[in-house]
Amino acid sequence: MAEHARWTRARLGRCGPSLDMLTARFDKHVYAPHTHSEFSIGVTVGGAEVIAYRGGHIHTGPGAIVVLAPGEMHTGGPATPTEGYAYRALYADPSLLADGTLDAVPHFRDPVVDDPELTAAIRQAHTDLAACPDPLEAETRLPWLLTALSRRHSTARPARDEIPGAHGISLLVRDRLADELTCPAGDDGLGTEEAGTPGNMVDTADEPGGRPRGVPLTGASRGTSGLHRAGWWLTATRGDSRDSATESKPPGVSTLGKGETVV
């Protein structure tokens, strides 16, 4: 395959900051010494690369995450004369990695990060967004990954995830939903246009006694879509006929650092 480099710019939300992504493969190309104003976060996907950085040399292969700090001089090139190298890179403003920490700019003592789960998640997000840089998709996926990178592998102090009053709010929401769900929608609404629209359908696992896939939500349940947009997720509690609302992150890579627990 010929040498190539393709840039993609993704915006985090409709009015959010932009983030540049690079998809590249080189056989012979060697970068001249240079710096970036952003964090350079690369994932090697093929071959082997050598990077001059902080007075030494970084050797990377498939599966490694390389984090180069803003303003740090570095180069890059093939580690062997015959193999070449391929990688995916994100160029993220320092504020995106500082989100979720108490430090203005996270510091990575070791520029090479060994984290298979995070490597796979970053690579997949990069692949998907490079093909279709949808602002909502970028805003949903990238900040969590960058926060996870900082909290797991930098010296930054993680910020607390607790929201003041979240427990009391969840109890109020749970009780309100429980009261309204005592009057479920009747069968006469199943064939209506409103009941059959995608926004009014729920896709749940078929469990004994549970709602089968594709059954329309009741009016009370449809009203919880705003909770989802605000970061609240409804979870069924076994042994309790009511629903509970919990403040949590979307499914994906945890942002907890090593040794941290959820309070």
Side-chain angles (χ1 to χ4, degrees):
M1 182 182 296
E3 292 189 338
H4 66 271
R6 185 178 71 253
W7 288 94
T8 306
R9 174 163 292 178
R11 186 169 294 280
L12 305 184
R14 188 175 63 176
C15 301
S18 61
L19 181 148
D20 289 329
M21 301 183 295
L22 175 62
T23 303
R25 183 191 183 281
F26 298 117
D27 293 323
K28 306 291 185 182
H29 180 71
V30 176
Y31 285 102
H34 63 284
T35 65
H36 301 285
S37 59
E38 312 92 350
F39 272 98
S40 173
I41 303 162
V43 175
T44 305
V45 298
E49 183 182 10
V50 59
I51 301 171
Y53 184 68
R54 292 178 178 172
H57 289 86
I58 303 169
H59 292 266
T60 69
I65 300 175
V66 178
V67 183
L68 307 179
E72 293 272 10
M73 189 74 70
H74 61 279
T75 66
T80 68
T82 58
E83 194 172 11
Y85 60 104
Y87 67 99
R88 310 283 185 269
L90 306 170
Y91 297 87
D93 187 84
S95 63
L96 293 175
L97 281 86
D99 190 25
T101 75
L102 300 177
D103 294 15
V105 180
H107 175 68
F108 293 81
R109 290 196 184 100
D110 190 346
V112 181
V113 172
D114 181 18
D115 189 328
E117 179 195 29
L118 191 55
T119 299
I122 290 175
R123 178 175 178 177
Q124 188 61 57
H126 188 291
T127 299
D128 295 343
L129 291 170
C132 180
D134 177 73
L136 179 58
E137 185 79 4
E139 184 182 34
T140 302
R141 298 175 70 175
L142 293 180
W144 298 115
L145 296 175
L146 297 174
T147 297
L149 180 64
S150 293
R151 292 177 60 150
R152 290 185 181 186
H153 301 289
S154 79
T155 61
R157 298 162 297 162
R160 295 182 67 86
D161 286 331
E162 296 178 356
I163 296 178
H167 180 66
I169 294 173
S170 68
L171 293 179
L172 290 173
V173 172
R174 182 198 65 184
D175 292 342
R176 175 66 180 273
L177 293 175
D179 292 341
E180 294 186 359
L181 289 174
T182 56
C183 300
D187 293 341
D188 57 339
L190 294 181
T192 65
E193 181 178 355
E194 178 185 5
T197 59
N200 296 330
M201 306 294 282
V202 63
D203 188 19
T204 60
D206 293 332
E207 293 184 353
R211 184 189 291 113
R213 293 185 181 277
V215 171
L217 293 168
T218 65
S221 295
R222 288 199 301 272
T224 64
S225 60
L227 297 173
H228 295 172
R229 290 192 295 269
W232 292 82
W233 300 80
L234 296 180
T235 56
T237 304
R238 294 188 180 277
D240 190 341
S241 59
R242 298 178 296 182
D243 287 341
S244 63
T246 59
E247 192 282 325
S248 64
K249 299 175 179 61
V253 176
S254 168
T255 59
L256 292 177
K258 294 181 179 178
E260 293 184 64
T261 56
V262 177
V263 178

